[in-house]
Amino acid sequence: MHFFSVPVILLISSLSLAVRAGKCPRLCSCDGTKLTVACIGKNLTEVPPTVDEISVKLDLRNNNLQELSRGAFMHTPYLTHLNLQRCNIIKVKEGAFRSLGRVVSLNLAYNKIDILYQESFDGLSSLKELYLDHNRVEELQPGAFTQLGFLNMLALTNNQLVYIPNMAFQGLNNIKWLRLSHNSLNNLAPEAFTGLFTLNRLSLDHNELQFFPTQTMNRLREVTRLDVSYNPMTYLGEEAVAMAKLTHLYLDHMSLQDLSDQALSHAPLLSHLDLSHNQLRYLEPLSGPKELGSLNLTGNPIYCNCFMRSLRKWAGAGGVKLLGACAGPPHLSDEPLQAVAPLDLRCRSRGETLKDEFEEDNESARSTPPTAKPKQTVKCPLNCDCDIEAQHATCEGRGHTKVPRGFTSKTQLLDLRSNHFHYLPANSFPGASQVVSLHLEFCKIHEIEGGAFRGMKNLFYLYLSDNDLTSLDPGVFSGAPELTYLHLEGNRLAQFPGSALALLPSLFVLHLERNAISKVEPTGLLSSVTPKLRELYLTNNTITSIAKGALDSAFLGTLHLDSNRLTEMPTHVLSQAPNLEELNLSQNSIRWVGPNAFQSISQSLKRLYMDQMGMEKMSREALKGLGSGLRALTLRGNQLEVLPDLSQLTGLEVVDLQDNPLLCDCSLLPLRRWMENVSLEVIATCGHPPELRGQKVRDIHVFKSCPESGSPPDEKVVVATRPPKVKKPKPSLSKALGVKARPAKPRAKLPKPTKNKPQRKPVAPKVTKNKKAL
């Protein structure tokens, strides 16, 4: 019996390894030495099944995976780094990563993920870095991260989070840095960060927090750096920040008008405090921080008089460096705070100074130090909870049959959802003039009397979702002139409530999804009733027709008509909304789109959705006028055999043509050539002839025999090839679709809105009101 020598065995092993490492998927590049595979921008719709099992790094950036199925990476158990950026991923199914027990870095940034499910990351037991930034995450299901016990950094920036529930991050036993910047967070549950015993850095900047979440932050005993900048907070009260190990606190670029001298009394190790770019005119010496070395007041309207003397002396005695400059009086304007001597901080007389600097004649204001917190007493109805500091009150799910009375007059958020009110009489909310956000979802309300919200002069957000309303009294919203965001989805409204909206001149966003509206009549012209309406959502009603003039609005930018019963293109409606940017017509029964269908909004339209409509034909000029401004076009799940010319749509970033039975002959040559000349992923498959069914338009070779000119055949020939299954449109329909379009009337060029939301001047103690829902 012969045995191989050691060198021979090593040689055979190395050759075997080289053979294995040489296995590389088509369109990918592989490095056998470093065991890496890169398939970047190859229009892949699935994870390549032939990736070598021993690969340790897999880069799949810029593909079109859309969904990660269960066990998608079963064949690559040795991966340590996985990059799935910009792959159009919408859903990560449970168990998608179950075999990746060695992965330490996973990048899912710039996708379209909206929900993180309980077992989405099951199997990633060694993961240390998880990038989920720039997705559409709006919900964190508790338990989503329970398998990530070694994770050090979690990035959830630039998503759509509004609320963090209790125990949302359970299982992150080694987390060091949690990044939640650039969301729409306005509420954090008290136990939102429970269990994060190792967290030392938290980023909450660029959100919608109106009050410092003291109760939530108290759980974070190891955090040393906290960034809450760019949130619309106006006041920081006593003991607001109680974080024993905090050293760096960023509160810049907010709306702070006042700061209690006791606000940081439980942050003894604080060394750097950034209060720049707020609305502070005075500041008392801060009690608590013993290690403070830097206090940044840059960009505040600091008035350097006798009221600032104590702060200046305190800073000098404690070695605190003051950054910033005086805004007044004139002789000290622009003088650095650090350079102003305490003796220079003088007042002429107390009364005159207060009159000049506060523009108030209130006696209590003159005798009270500017940063002192007014005395408050706890006032709360039975079976409710009130947070005086946060100015929030909740009676959620407490079985109330009448609206409770007795909330403090300074309440700004009132949550009454999931009770059993049935009926709201006039003056249902006395003493609620400061309420900004009112929640009345799931309260079984079937009738609201006119004047029910009378006196709520600061009401900005109103949630009446998921009740039993069938109609609205014309005076229902009287007394709430500032109402800007109105949620009426999930009711049984049979008509568009135009007359009720006439009392809402500031209405900006209107939600009417999931109602029973069958027609939209011109009785409530948007141009006169709600002149500022920017977003209108009518998804999932029973709308069969929209009368001419019904949606007349020069300001309307978003219109969702999906999941209704329209059978014709609402071209006549579009001509009355010349600044429309987003239009959703998906899941209507519109089988034919005629020429010039979007001509009237061609200069403004950016996003057009027409999925699953049963559409059988589009005119060659259906998209005429739409050019570089259109960013998204979806036609998924229709019955189209031919498509109009897309060559003018040079600005497209998203296009979806999937699940259409395209006729793959020379009539489709313009589409094929267009697909070859664009950088974005375009998925289109053949439906005819039978021998090409299911094949991708990009992969077939039938076009090689087409004439070189590539000119599209006459439209009549295309129709004759396979006529639509519907009857020829009647003359009246043809006119509505613009077949014989009259010359467009010249219209005044309207100024384009500079922002998507209205502006209001912040006045203490109100909140900044150009934000999303509380």
Side-chain angles (χ1 to χ4, degrees), residues 61 209 253 286 317-318 371 428 435 632 693 711 719 749:
R61 278 175 292 166
L209 297 170
H253 292 86
L286 300 172
T371 55
S428 286
V435 169
R693 183 175 297 141
S711 57
V719 174
K749 190 173 181 181

Side-chain angles (χ1 to χ4, degrees), residues 626-730:
L626 296 173
S628 59
L630 193 68
R631 296 287 182 264
L633 172 66
T634 67
L635 293 165
R636 185 169 188 153
N638 286 293
Q639 298 300 314
L640 294 170
E641 296 183 359
V642 293
L643 292 170
D645 183 15
L646 304 180
S647 62
Q648 300 301 312
L649 307 181
T650 56
L652 281 178
E653 297 172 353
V654 176
V655 61
D656 193 344
L657 307 175
Q658 290 192 70
D659 304 325
N660 281 285
L662 296 176
L663 176 60
C664 288
D665 61 12
C666 292
S667 65
L668 209 63
L669 182 58
L671 174 67
R672 168 64 178 266
R673 287 184 171 172
W674 176 77
M675 291 172 64
E676 292 173 347
N677 292 323
V678 294
S679 58
L680 70 162
E681 167 67 11
V682 183
I683 297 179
T685 53
C686 301
H688 309 283
E691 60 270 20
L692 296 177
R693 183 175 297 141
Q695 296 188 42
K696 294 180 181 179
V697 173
R698 188 183 290 273
D699 296 339
I700 62 173
H701 303 290
V702 68
F703 302 108
K704 291 182 178 179
S705 59
C706 294
E708 284 299 318
S709 64
S711 57
D714 184 77
E715 198 163 306
K716 292 181 181 179
V717 177
V718 176
V719 174
T721 305
R722 188 176 174 93
K725 301 176 184 177
V726 291
K727 296 180 181 179
K728 186 177 180 181
K730 297 179 181 179

Side-chain angles (χ1 to χ4, degrees), residues 20 102 125 140 208 280 400 448 472 529 580 605 644:
R20 292 182 64 196
R102 292 177 172 83
S125 55
L140 299 179
E208 312 282 339
L280 298 168
H400 292 283
I448 304 176
L472 292 177
V529 174
L580 199 64
L605 194 63

Side-chain angles (χ1 to χ4, degrees), residues 60 66 227 309 344 363 371 378 421 531-532 642:
L60 293 173
Q66 296 201 9
D227 190 348
R309 190 179 300 158
D344 293 332
E363 289 298 325
T371 55
V378 177
F421 296 137
K532 294 184 179 180
V642 293

Side-chain angles (χ1 to χ4, degrees), residues 586-602:
S586 299
Q587 294 181 300
N588 282 282
S589 297
I590 302 175
R591 300 186 176 228
W592 152 262
V593 180
N596 306 304
F598 308 99
Q599 183 73 46
S600 59
I601 54 173
S602 61

